[in-house]
């Protein structure tokens, strides 16, 4: 017998914990015996393995892959659907509006879990309705939430106003809330130990730089790869942080702002990526929108990937997060860089066909089916 599968429950969690979190959690679980886990790629059910030898009283360990750890933001995305952006001083009516879970960190964590890879999220939400919305959305999709903290004291959950136009393009205004407030000056030993046991750590710029620096340093000390998405605050990135990043992932405009160089064509993008190399980042993964993506590794020729066309573009929110997280999953699974780019392109193509960042995150089967059809 290979194992016994149990259905997921939001009140009972049989995944093994790397560390217990002393902070009160949004989803509480009873005290459990620590049980090794693994994922079944198709049904995504956790499996328990027991020894069939009656002389043994202990469980037979199952080798588990090092998890993907996402450290970052969680937002309530307030969507308004409009035909066009308002001009200065103009009031326009929206066709529709709704609130969905989002934020770059939450998006990327959801993507990892949707792709059937064990994924932890380390972040903060407020003790409010938006925080509960995010916690439920991530938990329902299989994200491990032991390290998601709920803040009291009236600190609100971060949120964003997403102005979604009819062609699928969007403009976003972010309110930091719990993402930017009340982080400890020094992360706990439990948090940092999780970082050191990860397979890959994903960062973004919607939480304070000093938090990202602590995480990146801890990861480097343990030989854990750090991928940093450049999205988030529009401010210079500290050199101290870049020095501990293995793969830096901006889009064209973010690359241009960071380097102060034009990025209108591939030659200019290559030159800007070369400047990033001189700033200390050896690998630059650039998201090029409709022109695909490219990975610039210092000393090597760029690896380019075209887009995999979507049947229809409904909403581009979260496409970049899907791309970055999918690349990370493929990389931690041992795929080549070229295969990682193609896997990420397929995931992003599926994401843009659904409204909402987290609702649009594809599962592994859908990604593999799309790749096989190409």
């Amino acid at each position: 017998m290979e194992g016994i599968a149990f259905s997921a429950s939001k009140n009972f969690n049989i995944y093994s914990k790397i560390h217990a979190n002393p902070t009160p959690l949004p989803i509480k679980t009873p005290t459990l015996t620590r049980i090794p886990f693994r994922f079944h790629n198709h049904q995504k059910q956790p499996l328990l393995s027991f020894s069939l030898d009656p002389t043994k009283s202990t469980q037979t360990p199952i080798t588990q892959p090092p998890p993907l750890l996402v450290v970052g933001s969680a937002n309530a995305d307030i969507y308004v659907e409009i035909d066009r952006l308002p001009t200065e001083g103009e009031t326009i009516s929206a066709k529709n509006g709704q609130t969905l879970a989002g934020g770059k960190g939450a998006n990327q964590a959801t993507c990892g879990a949707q792709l059937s890879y064990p994924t932890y999220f380390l972040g903060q939400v407020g003790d409010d309705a938006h925080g509960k919305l995010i916690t439920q959305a991530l938990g329902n999709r299989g994200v491990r939430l032991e390290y998601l903290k709920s803040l009291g004291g009236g600190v609100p959950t971060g949120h964003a106003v997403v102005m979604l136009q009819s062609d699928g393009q969007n403009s976003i205004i972010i309110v930091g809330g719990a993402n930017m407030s009340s982080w400890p000056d020094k992360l706990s030993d439990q948090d940092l130990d999780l970082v050191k046991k990860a397979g890959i750590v994903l960062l973004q710029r919607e939480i304070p730089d000093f938090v990202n620096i602590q995480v990146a340093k801890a990861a480097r000390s343990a030989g854990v790869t750090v991928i940093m998405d450049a999205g988030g605050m529009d401010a210079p990135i500290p050199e101290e942080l870049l020095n501990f990043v293995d793969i830096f992932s901006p889009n064209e405009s973010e690359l241009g702002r960071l380097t102060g160089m034009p990025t209108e064509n591939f030659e200019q993008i290559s030159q800007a990526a070369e400047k990033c190399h001189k700033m200390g980042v050896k690998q630059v993964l650039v998201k090029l929108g409709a022109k695909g993506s490219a990975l610039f590794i210092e000393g090597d020729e760029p690896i380019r990937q075209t887009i995999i066309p979507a049947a229809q573009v409904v909403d581009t929110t979260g496409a970049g997060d899907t791309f970055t997280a999918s690349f990370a999953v493929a990389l931690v699974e041992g795929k080549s860089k070229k295969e990682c780019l193609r896997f990420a392109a397929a995931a992003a193509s599926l994401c843009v066909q659904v409204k909402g960042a987290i609702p649009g995150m594809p599962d592994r089967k859908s990604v593999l089916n799309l790749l096989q059809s190409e």
Side-chain angles (χ1 to χ4, degrees), residues 104-155:
K104 295 187 72 64
N107 292 345
Q108 292 176 7
T110 299
C111 183
Q114 285 285 96
L115 293 172
S116 303
Y117 197 84
T119 303
Y120 284 79
F121 179 54
L122 196 164
Q124 299 186 155
V125 295
D127 183 16
D128 52 26
H130 284 164
K132 293 178 175 63
L133 170 74
I134 292 165
T135 299
Q136 183 176 20
L138 270 63
N140 287 346
R141 288 166 173 80
V143 180
R144 296 296 307 274
L145 298 177
E146 287 90 333
Y147 296 81
L148 175 61
K149 298 173 179 65
S150 179
L151 304 180
V155 179

Side-chain angles (χ1 to χ4, degrees), residues 154-362:
V155 179
T157 298
H159 53 281
V161 178
V162 181
M163 293 171 282
L164 179 62
Q165 299 179 68
S166 55
D167 61 358
Q169 298 303 309
N170 61 73
S171 300
I172 303 172
I173 302 170
I174 295 173
V175 179
N179 296 314
M180 298 299 294
S181 302
S182 304
W183 285 90
D185 292 335
K186 185 179 184 305
L187 295 178
S188 70
D189 291 340
Q190 290 89 349
D191 289 346
L192 294 177
D193 198 39
L194 176 64
V195 171
K196 294 174 183 178
K197 292 184 178 180
I200 283 181
V201 171
L202 266 176
L203 303 174
Q204 322 83 37
R205 300 204 69 212
E206 290 182 345
I207 62 174
D209 284 329
F210 79 87
V211 178
N212 280 332
I213 289 171
Q214 288 184 64
V215 171
K217 281 184 175 181
R220 176 64 60 85
S221 73
V224 176
T225 297
V226 175
I227 300 177
M228 181 168 186
D229 191 305
M233 67 180 78
D234 184 11
I237 300 178
E239 183 179 345
E240 183 181 12
L241 176 55
L242 285 176
N243 287 337
F244 292 100
V245 170
D246 297 289
I247 302 175
F248 181 62
S249 184
N251 60 28
E252 294 164 279
S253 59
E254 290 160 351
L255 179 63
R257 287 198 299 270
L258 173 68
T259 61
M261 299 175 67
T263 54
E264 296 177 4
N265 56 53
F266 192 78
E267 182 179 354
Q268 292 176 341
I269 290 167
S270 298
Q271 292 171 350
E274 188 176 332
K275 184 170 181 178
C276 287
H277 294 156
K278 295 176 181 177
M279 296 168 69
V281 181
K282 304 303 181 185
Q283 300 182 58
V284 183
L285 175 61
V286 186
K287 300 176 283 279
L288 301 173
K291 292 177 285 187
S293 60
L295 177 62
F296 299 87
I297 302 175
E298 188 173 34
D300 293 342
E301 288 296 315
I303 305 172
R304 301 183 69 170
Q305 171 65 49
T306 59
I307 64 164
I308 295 178
Q312 60 176 341
V313 177
V314 175
D315 182 7
T316 59
T317 308
D321 294 329
T322 300
F323 182 91
T324 306
S326 301
F327 182 93
V329 168
L331 187 62
V332 76
E333 290 179 338
K335 293 180 173 64
S336 69
K337 297 293 175 58
K338 189 173 183 63
E339 290 173 323
C340 291
L341 286 170
R342 189 164 178 265
F343 186 81
S349 176
L350 292 169
C351 176
V352 300
Q353 299 182 51
V354 179
K355 184 171 71 176
I358 286 179
M361 300 295 173

